[in-house]
Amino acid sequence: CGNDVTVTFDSLRIDGGCANSYTLVWHWRAEDICENVSDAYVYITVEDTTDPVFITNPTDTTILCSEQVPAVADLMVIDNCAGVLVANVAEVETPGDCPNERTIMRIYRANDNCGNSAIRVQYIYVVDTIAPEFTFVPENVTIQCNTPLPTEEATASDLCGDVRVESSDATISET
C-alpha cells in the first residue's frame, strides 16, 4: 500500500497518591494509507520516595539558668522534588538534678508533599553552675557577756531562683 506512514503522539498523566508521584503514558500510533494501524505505549512511573535533606542542623548548646532559651532554629531543607516544609518543631523538657536545671529536646521534622520526612534533634542543657552571692553579711563584733546577741541575718541572691540562708551559732572558748 505504499511507504506513506503517519505517526501521531499523545501523552496522558495519571496522578498518583501525591503531587510528586504520577504515571505518564506515552502513546504513538502509526497508520499507513491502507488504514493499517500499529500502537506503541511507554509507561513512565514517577515516584517520590526520597526523604528531604537538612542543609543546616540545629546546634546543641548549654546555657545558664539565668539566660534566655535560644529561639527555634531556622533550618534550611532541600528535597529532590518540590514542596518541602518544616512541618513542626516539638519540645520535650526533662527536669535536671536541681530545680533550676533542665534539658530541652527540640525535634525538627521536615516533610515533603509525598509524606517523606527527615528529623533533626537539638538539645539545650540549662544548668545552674553559679553559686549564690551574699548581698549582706553582718560585721564581726565583740560584745560584753551581758549584751544580747545581734539579730541581723545574712541575705543572699541567686541568678536562678530563691536562696535559703541558714545560720548557726557557735561559741568559741579560749583555752
Side-chain angles (χ1 to χ4, degrees):
C1 279
N3 291 334
D4 241 358
V5 176
T6 303
V7 177
T8 58
F9 171 79
D10 62 61
S11 176
L12 171 67
R13 176 183 167 134
I14 303 167
D15 290 334
C18 64
N20 297 326
S21 294
Y22 54 91
T23 300
L24 291 176
V25 181
W26 290 354
H27 172 228
W28 288 272
R29 174 168 279 191
E31 186 174 345
D32 65 16
I33 58 173
C34 295
E35 295 184 2
N36 296 308
V37 174
S38 184
D39 292 305
Y41 295 91
V42 172
Y43 296 88
I44 301 170
T45 302
V46 178
E47 296 178 336
D48 181 4
T49 58
T50 304
D51 293 337
V53 176
F54 281 89
I55 298 300
T56 55
N57 289 301
T59 13
D60 294 346
T61 188
T62 300
I63 61 170
L64 292 174
C65 52
S66 60
E67 296 178 311
Q68 188 168 347
V69 173
V72 170
D74 186 20
L75 303 178
M76 293 178 55
V77 182
I78 61 169
D79 189 50
N80 64 329
C81 300
V84 174
L85 35 117
V86 177
N88 62 20
V89 178
E91 281 191 5
V92 177
E93 281 197 26
T94 305
D97 293 336
C98 75
N100 299 324
E101 294 184 334
R102 66 189 190 277
T103 299
I104 301 168
M105 180 176 65
R106 285 188 179 152
I107 304 162
Y108 297 81
R109 183 182 189 106
N111 296 311
D112 68 13
N113 288 334
C114 289
N116 302 305
S117 63
I119 295 175
R120 290 294 176 269
V121 177
Q122 175 187 34
Y123 292 96
I124 301 167
Y125 304 99
V126 181
V127 297
D128 184 355
T129 57
I130 298 176
E133 291 186 9
F134 282 98
T135 55
F136 173 77
V137 176
E139 292 185 27
N140 295 331
V141 295
T142 303
I143 58 173
Q144 293 296 317
C145 60
N146 60 350
T147 306
L149 294 175
T151 57
E152 294 176 301
E153 294 285 330
T155 58
S157 67
D158 188 71
L159 293 174
C160 296
D162 295 333
V163 176
R164 183 182 68 229
V165 177
E166 294 179 358
S167 62
S168 61
D169 296 330
T171 304
I172 302 171
S173 339
E174 291 183 34
T175 1

